[in-house]
PDB file of all heavy atoms in Angstrom:
ATOM      1  N   THR A   1     -25.422  10.083 -17.651  1.00 94.00           N
ATOM      2  CA  THR A   1     -24.560  10.535 -16.559  1.00 94.00           C
ATOM      3  C   THR A   1     -24.821   9.727 -15.297  1.00 94.00           C
ATOM      4  O   THR A   1     -23.889   9.338 -14.591  1.00 94.00           O
ATOM      5  CB  THR A   1     -24.781  12.039 -16.290  1.00 94.00           C
ATOM      6  OG1 THR A   1     -24.490  12.760 -17.495  1.00 94.00           O
ATOM      7  CG2 THR A   1     -23.892  12.536 -15.177  1.00 94.00           C
ATOM      8  N   HIS A   2     -26.092   9.463 -15.010  1.00 95.00           N
ATOM      9  CA  HIS A   2     -26.435   8.702 -13.814  1.00 95.00           C
ATOM     10  C   HIS A   2     -25.880   7.283 -13.903  1.00 95.00           C
ATOM     11  O   HIS A   2     -25.332   6.758 -12.929  1.00 95.00           O
ATOM     12  CB  HIS A   2     -27.954   8.684 -13.623  1.00 95.00           C
ATOM     13  CG  HIS A   2     -28.380   8.184 -12.292  1.00 95.00           C
ATOM     14  ND1 HIS A   2     -28.129   8.865 -11.126  1.00 95.00           N
ATOM     15  CD2 HIS A   2     -29.016   7.056 -11.935  1.00 95.00           C
ATOM     16  CE1 HIS A   2     -28.603   8.171 -10.099  1.00 95.00           C
ATOM     17  NE2 HIS A   2     -29.148   7.063 -10.570  1.00 95.00           N
ATOM     18  N   GLY A   3     -25.984   6.659 -15.066  1.00 94.00           N
ATOM     19  CA  GLY A   3     -25.436   5.322 -15.267  1.00 94.00           C
ATOM     20  C   GLY A   3     -23.933   5.296 -15.079  1.00 94.00           C
ATOM     21  O   GLY A   3     -23.391   4.367 -14.475  1.00 94.00           O
ATOM     22  N   ARG A   4     -23.260   6.307 -15.588  1.00 96.00           N
ATOM     23  CA  ARG A   4     -21.801   6.393 -15.405  1.00 96.00           C
ATOM     24  C   ARG A   4     -21.443   6.496 -13.927  1.00 96.00           C
ATOM     25  O   ARG A   4     -20.484   5.875 -13.467  1.00 96.00           O
ATOM     26  CB  ARG A   4     -21.241   7.590 -16.168  1.00 96.00           C
ATOM     27  CG  ARG A   4     -21.263   7.411 -17.650  1.00 96.00           C
ATOM     28  CD  ARG A   4     -20.663   8.610 -18.374  1.00 96.00           C
ATOM     29  NE  ARG A   4     -20.903   8.456 -19.795  1.00 96.00           N
ATOM     30  CZ  ARG A   4     -21.575   9.324 -20.545  1.00 96.00           C
ATOM     31  NH1 ARG A   4     -22.056  10.433 -20.015  1.00 96.00           N
ATOM     32  NH2 ARG A   4     -21.753   9.094 -21.821  1.00 96.00           N
ATOM     33  N   PHE A   5     -22.230   7.287 -13.193  1.00 97.00           N
ATOM     34  CA  PHE A   5     -21.961   7.431 -11.765  1.00 97.00           C
ATOM     35  C   PHE A   5     -22.149   6.099 -11.044  1.00 97.00           C
ATOM     36  O   PHE A   5     -21.314   5.691 -10.237  1.00 97.00           O
ATOM     37  CB  PHE A   5     -22.867   8.498 -11.144  1.00 97.00           C
ATOM     38  CG  PHE A   5     -22.617   8.679  -9.675  1.00 97.00           C
ATOM     39  CD1 PHE A   5     -21.621   9.530  -9.232  1.00 97.00           C
ATOM     40  CD2 PHE A   5     -23.358   7.965  -8.729  1.00 97.00           C
ATOM     41  CE1 PHE A   5     -21.366   9.680  -7.874  1.00 97.00           C
ATOM     42  CE2 PHE A   5     -23.109   8.110  -7.377  1.00 97.00           C
ATOM     43  CZ  PHE A   5     -22.109   8.972  -6.946  1.00 97.00           C
ATOM     44  N   ILE A   6     -23.263   5.417 -11.321  1.00 97.00           N
ATOM     45  CA  ILE A   6     -23.520   4.127 -10.671  1.00 97.00           C
ATOM     46  C   ILE A   6     -22.399   3.147 -10.997  1.00 97.00           C
ATOM     47  O   ILE A   6     -21.853   2.492 -10.105  1.00 97.00           O
ATOM     48  CB  ILE A   6     -24.883   3.544 -11.105  1.00 97.00           C
ATOM     49  CG1 ILE A   6     -26.035   4.406 -10.611  1.00 97.00           C
ATOM     50  CG2 ILE A   6     -25.033   2.109 -10.585  1.00 97.00           C
ATOM     51  CD1 ILE A   6     -27.388   4.012 -11.195  1.00 97.00           C
ATOM     52  N   ALA A   7     -22.048   3.035 -12.283  1.00 97.00           N
ATOM     53  CA  ALA A   7     -21.027   2.078 -12.709  1.00 97.00           C
ATOM     54  C   ALA A   7     -19.680   2.358 -12.044  1.00 97.00           C
ATOM     55  O   ALA A   7     -18.935   1.425 -11.721  1.00 97.00           O
ATOM     56  CB  ALA A   7     -20.890   2.102 -14.225  1.00 97.00           C
ATOM     57  N   ALA A   8     -19.373   3.619 -11.803  1.00 96.00           N
ATOM     58  CA  ALA A   8     -18.098   3.991 -11.196  1.00 96.00           C
ATOM     59  C   ALA A   8     -18.121   3.892  -9.674  1.00 96.00           C
ATOM     60  O   ALA A   8     -17.064   3.965  -9.037  1.00 96.00           O
ATOM     61  CB  ALA A   8     -17.720   5.414 -11.606  1.00 96.00           C
ATOM     62  N   ASN A   9     -19.305   3.735  -9.090  1.00 95.00           N
ATOM     63  CA  ASN A   9     -19.436   3.753  -7.628  1.00 95.00           C
ATOM     64  C   ASN A   9     -20.280   2.599  -7.115  1.00 95.00           C
ATOM     65  O   ASN A   9     -21.108   2.784  -6.211  1.00 95.00           O
ATOM     66  CB  ASN A   9     -20.042   5.083  -7.171  1.00 95.00           C
ATOM     67  CG  ASN A   9     -19.150   6.250  -7.478  1.00 95.00           C
ATOM     68  OD1 ASN A   9     -18.171   6.486  -6.788  1.00 95.00           O
ATOM     69  ND2 ASN A   9     -19.456   6.968  -8.546  1.00 95.00           N
ATOM     70  N   LEU A  10     -20.097   1.408  -7.661  1.00 95.00           N
ATOM     71  CA  LEU A  10     -20.865   0.258  -7.206  1.00 95.00           C
ATOM     72  C   LEU A  10     -20.636   0.034  -5.718  1.00 95.00           C
ATOM     73  O   LEU A  10     -19.505   0.094  -5.242  1.00 95.00           O
ATOM     74  CB  LEU A  10     -20.477  -0.989  -7.999  1.00 95.00           C
ATOM     75  CG  LEU A  10     -20.869  -0.975  -9.469  1.00 95.00           C
ATOM     76  CD1 LEU A  10     -20.264  -2.170 -10.176  1.00 95.00           C
ATOM     77  CD2 LEU A  10     -22.373  -0.959  -9.621  1.00 95.00           C
ATOM     78  N   GLU A  11     -21.713  -0.220  -5.009  1.00 93.00           N
ATOM     79  CA  GLU A  11     -21.645  -0.354  -3.550  1.00 93.00           C
ATOM     80  C   GLU A  11     -21.449  -1.807  -3.142  1.00 93.00           C
ATOM     81  O   GLU A  11     -22.242  -2.372  -2.389  1.00 93.00           O
ATOM     82  CB  GLU A  11     -22.909   0.232  -2.928  1.00 93.00           C
ATOM     83  CG  GLU A  11     -23.025   1.724  -3.206  1.00 93.00           C
ATOM     84  CD  GLU A  11     -24.319   2.308  -2.707  1.00 93.00           C
ATOM     85  OE1 GLU A  11     -24.391   2.628  -1.496  1.00 93.00           O
ATOM     86  OE2 GLU A  11     -25.252   2.424  -3.517  1.00 93.00           O
ATOM     87  N   LYS A  12     -20.382  -2.397  -3.639  1.00 88.00           N
ATOM     88  CA  LYS A  12     -20.044  -3.770  -3.279  1.00 88.00           C
ATOM     89  C   LYS A  12     -18.656  -3.740  -2.666  1.00 88.00           C
ATOM     90  O   LYS A  12     -17.669  -3.521  -3.360  1.00 88.00           O
ATOM     91  CB  LYS A  12     -20.070  -4.676  -4.502  1.00 88.00           C
ATOM     92  CG  LYS A  12     -19.803  -6.118  -4.152  1.00 88.00           C
ATOM     93  CD  LYS A  12     -19.939  -7.029  -5.347  1.00 88.00           C
ATOM     94  CE  LYS A  12     -19.756  -8.465  -4.888  1.00 88.00           C
ATOM     95  NZ  LYS A  12     -19.833  -9.399  -6.000  1.00 88.00           N
ATOM     96  N   GLY A  13     -18.605  -3.978  -1.385  1.00 76.00           N
ATOM     97  CA  GLY A  13     -17.325  -3.993  -0.696  1.00 76.00           C
ATOM     98  C   GLY A  13     -16.711  -5.381  -0.721  1.00 76.00           C
ATOM     99  O   GLY A  13     -17.040  -6.224  -1.567  1.00 76.00           O
ATOM    100  N   THR A  14     -15.852  -5.627   0.221  1.00 71.00           N
ATOM    101  CA  THR A  14     -15.184  -6.924   0.285  1.00 71.00           C
ATOM    102  C   THR A  14     -16.017  -7.959   1.029  1.00 71.00           C
ATOM    103  O   THR A  14     -15.809  -9.146   0.864  1.00 71.00           O
ATOM    104  CB  THR A  14     -13.818  -6.788   0.977  1.00 71.00           C
ATOM    105  OG1 THR A  14     -14.011  -6.184   2.269  1.00 71.00           O
ATOM    106  CG2 THR A  14     -12.880  -5.924   0.147  1.00 71.00           C
ATOM    107  N   GLY A  15     -16.968  -7.521   1.839  1.00 69.00           N
ATOM    108  CA  GLY A  15     -17.831  -8.448   2.568  1.00 69.00           C
ATOM    109  C   GLY A  15     -19.065  -8.782   1.760  1.00 69.00           C
ATOM    110  O   GLY A  15     -19.115  -8.552   0.549  1.00 69.00           O
ATOM    111  N   PRO A  16     -20.083  -9.299   2.444  1.00 69.00           N
ATOM    112  CA  PRO A  16     -21.332  -9.616   1.729  1.00 69.00           C
ATOM    113  C   PRO A  16     -21.941  -8.346   1.138  1.00 69.00           C
ATOM    114  O   PRO A  16     -21.897  -7.286   1.745  1.00 69.00           O
ATOM    115  CB  PRO A  16     -22.239 -10.191   2.819  1.00 69.00           C
ATOM    116  CG  PRO A  16     -21.371 -10.465   3.987  1.00 69.00           C
ATOM    117  CD  PRO A  16     -20.141  -9.632   3.851  1.00 69.00           C
ATOM    118  N   ALA A  17     -22.472  -8.474  -0.048  1.00 80.00           N
ATOM    119  CA  ALA A  17     -23.127  -7.327  -0.686  1.00 80.00           C
ATOM    120  C   ALA A  17     -24.456  -7.067   0.020  1.00 80.00           C
ATOM    121  O   ALA A  17     -24.923  -7.870   0.821  1.00 80.00           O
ATOM    122  CB  ALA A  17     -23.338  -7.610  -2.162  1.00 80.00           C
ATOM    123  N   SER A  18     -25.068  -5.963  -0.317  1.00 86.00           N
ATOM    124  CA  SER A  18     -26.315  -5.594   0.347  1.00 86.00           C
ATOM    125  C   SER A  18     -27.334  -5.143  -0.686  1.00 86.00           C
ATOM    126  O   SER A  18     -27.082  -5.161  -1.885  1.00 86.00           O
ATOM    127  CB  SER A  18     -26.047  -4.452   1.339  1.00 86.00           C
ATOM    128  OG  SER A  18     -25.754  -3.259   0.616  1.00 86.00           O
ATOM    129  N   ASN A  19     -28.467  -4.696  -0.181  1.00 91.00           N
ATOM    130  CA  ASN A  19     -29.503  -4.187  -1.068  1.00 91.00           C
ATOM    131  C   ASN A  19     -29.015  -2.946  -1.819  1.00 91.00           C
ATOM    132  O   ASN A  19     -29.540  -2.632  -2.873  1.00 91.00           O
ATOM    133  CB  ASN A  19     -30.799  -3.922  -0.299  1.00 91.00           C
ATOM    134  CG  ASN A  19     -30.599  -3.003   0.865  1.00 91.00           C
ATOM    135  OD1 ASN A  19     -30.216  -1.850   0.692  1.00 91.00           O
ATOM    136  ND2 ASN A  19     -30.845  -3.487   2.062  1.00 91.00           N
ATOM    137  N   HIS A  20     -28.006  -2.267  -1.318  1.00 94.00           N
ATOM    138  CA  HIS A  20     -27.448  -1.116  -2.024  1.00 94.00           C
ATOM    139  C   HIS A  20     -26.861  -1.567  -3.363  1.00 94.00           C
ATOM    140  O   HIS A  20     -27.108  -0.956  -4.398  1.00 94.00           O
ATOM    141  CB  HIS A  20     -26.349  -0.431  -1.204  1.00 94.00           C
ATOM    142  CG  HIS A  20     -26.841   0.200   0.045  1.00 94.00           C
ATOM    143  ND1 HIS A  20     -26.857   1.564   0.228  1.00 94.00           N
ATOM    144  CD2 HIS A  20     -27.340  -0.334   1.181  1.00 94.00           C
ATOM    145  CE1 HIS A  20     -27.347   1.844   1.426  1.00 94.00           C
ATOM    146  NE2 HIS A  20     -27.647   0.695   2.019  1.00 94.00           N
ATOM    147  N   TYR A  21     -26.077  -2.631  -3.316  1.00 95.00           N
ATOM    148  CA  TYR A  21     -25.472  -3.161  -4.537  1.00 95.00           C
ATOM    149  C   TYR A  21     -26.554  -3.666  -5.483  1.00 95.00           C
ATOM    150  O   TYR A  21     -26.481  -3.429  -6.688  1.00 95.00           O
ATOM    151  CB  TYR A  21     -24.479  -4.273  -4.191  1.00 95.00           C
ATOM    152  CG  TYR A  21     -23.800  -4.886  -5.392  1.00 95.00           C
ATOM    153  CD1 TYR A  21     -23.033  -4.113  -6.252  1.00 95.00           C
ATOM    154  CD2 TYR A  21     -23.917  -6.245  -5.654  1.00 95.00           C
ATOM    155  CE1 TYR A  21     -22.402  -4.666  -7.354  1.00 95.00           C
ATOM    156  CE2 TYR A  21     -23.291  -6.809  -6.756  1.00 95.00           C
ATOM    157  CZ  TYR A  21     -22.534  -6.015  -7.597  1.00 95.00           C
ATOM    158  OH  TYR A  21     -21.918  -6.577  -8.687  1.00 95.00           O
ATOM    159  N   PHE A  22     -27.553  -4.343  -4.941  1.00 95.00           N
ATOM    160  CA  PHE A  22     -28.643  -4.848  -5.778  1.00 95.00           C
ATOM    161  C   PHE A  22     -29.357  -3.684  -6.466  1.00 95.00           C
ATOM    162  O   PHE A  22     -29.694  -3.767  -7.647  1.00 95.00           O
ATOM    163  CB  PHE A  22     -29.614  -5.684  -4.945  1.00 95.00           C
ATOM    164  CG  PHE A  22     -30.492  -6.572  -5.775  1.00 95.00           C
ATOM    165  CD1 PHE A  22     -30.026  -7.778  -6.258  1.00 95.00           C
ATOM    166  CD2 PHE A  22     -31.787  -6.204  -6.072  1.00 95.00           C
ATOM    167  CE1 PHE A  22     -30.830  -8.609  -7.037  1.00 95.00           C
ATOM    168  CE2 PHE A  22     -32.604  -7.015  -6.845  1.00 95.00           C
ATOM    169  CZ  PHE A  22     -32.124  -8.223  -7.324  1.00 95.00           C
ATOM    170  N   SER A  23     -29.566  -2.592  -5.746  1.00 97.00           N
ATOM    171  CA  SER A  23     -30.221  -1.433  -6.363  1.00 97.00           C
ATOM    172  C   SER A  23     -29.335  -0.826  -7.441  1.00 97.00           C
ATOM    173  O   SER A  23     -29.841  -0.351  -8.469  1.00 97.00           O
ATOM    174  CB  SER A  23     -30.604  -0.384  -5.315  1.00 97.00           C
ATOM    175  OG  SER A  23     -29.464   0.246  -4.768  1.00 97.00           O
ATOM    176  N   ASN A  24     -28.016  -0.837  -7.259  1.00 97.00           N
ATOM    177  CA  ASN A  24     -27.104  -0.391  -8.309  1.00 97.00           C
ATOM    178  C   ASN A  24     -27.319  -1.212  -9.579  1.00 97.00           C
ATOM    179  O   ASN A  24     -27.389  -0.670 -10.686  1.00 97.00           O
ATOM    180  CB  ASN A  24     -25.645  -0.543  -7.887  1.00 97.00           C
ATOM    181  CG  ASN A  24     -25.204   0.311  -6.733  1.00 97.00           C
ATOM    182  OD1 ASN A  24     -24.216  -0.016  -6.077  1.00 97.00           O
ATOM    183  ND2 ASN A  24     -25.880   1.403  -6.434  1.00 97.00           N
ATOM    184  N   LEU A  25     -27.409  -2.521  -9.407  1.00 97.00           N
ATOM    185  CA  LEU A  25     -27.578  -3.420 -10.551  1.00 97.00           C
ATOM    186  C   LEU A  25     -28.902  -3.184 -11.266  1.00 97.00           C
ATOM    187  O   LEU A  25     -28.951  -3.144 -12.502  1.00 97.00           O
ATOM    188  CB  LEU A  25     -27.480  -4.876 -10.092  1.00 97.00           C
ATOM    189  CG  LEU A  25     -26.138  -5.306  -9.500  1.00 97.00           C
ATOM    190  CD1 LEU A  25     -26.245  -6.710  -8.926  1.00 97.00           C
ATOM    191  CD2 LEU A  25     -25.035  -5.203 -10.533  1.00 97.00           C
ATOM    192  N   VAL A  26     -29.974  -3.019 -10.501  1.00 97.00           N
ATOM    193  CA  VAL A  26     -31.284  -2.786 -11.115  1.00 97.00           C
ATOM    194  C   VAL A  26     -31.273  -1.459 -11.874  1.00 97.00           C
ATOM    195  O   VAL A  26     -31.804  -1.355 -12.983  1.00 97.00           O
ATOM    196  CB  VAL A  26     -32.417  -2.837 -10.061  1.00 97.00           C
ATOM    197  CG1 VAL A  26     -33.759  -2.471 -10.685  1.00 97.00           C
ATOM    198  CG2 VAL A  26     -32.488  -4.216  -9.419  1.00 97.00           C
ATOM    199  N   GLY A  27     -30.632  -0.449 -11.305  1.00 97.00           N
ATOM    200  CA  GLY A  27     -30.511   0.838 -11.995  1.00 97.00           C
ATOM    201  C   GLY A  27     -29.739   0.718 -13.297  1.00 97.00           C
ATOM    202  O   GLY A  27     -30.143   1.273 -14.322  1.00 97.00           O
ATOM    203  N   LEU A  28     -28.627  -0.024 -13.272  1.00 98.00           N
ATOM    204  CA  LEU A  28     -27.843  -0.208 -14.494  1.00 98.00           C
ATOM    205  C   LEU A  28     -28.616  -0.987 -15.544  1.00 98.00           C
ATOM    206  O   LEU A  28     -28.528  -0.693 -16.742  1.00 98.00           O
ATOM    207  CB  LEU A  28     -26.519  -0.911 -14.179  1.00 98.00           C
ATOM    208  CG  LEU A  28     -25.475  -0.076 -13.442  1.00 98.00           C
ATOM    209  CD1 LEU A  28     -24.258  -0.924 -13.107  1.00 98.00           C
ATOM    210  CD2 LEU A  28     -25.071   1.154 -14.251  1.00 98.00           C
TER     211      LEU A  28
END
């Protein structure tokens, strides 16, 4: 369930990505 949530809510906007997006990737 947690993986599904992360995959559906990646924190990568239109600008430069941040450590939030990197943490999403490490979690996945």
Side-chain angles (χ1 to χ4, degrees):
T1 301
H2 192 67
R4 289 182 189 121
F5 180 86
I6 294 171
N9 296 283
L10 292 172
E11 297 175 83
K12 183 175 184 182
T14 55
S18 70
N19 55 62
H20 294 248
Y21 180 60
F22 198 81
S23 69
N24 295 158
L25 297 173
V26 175
L28 288 176

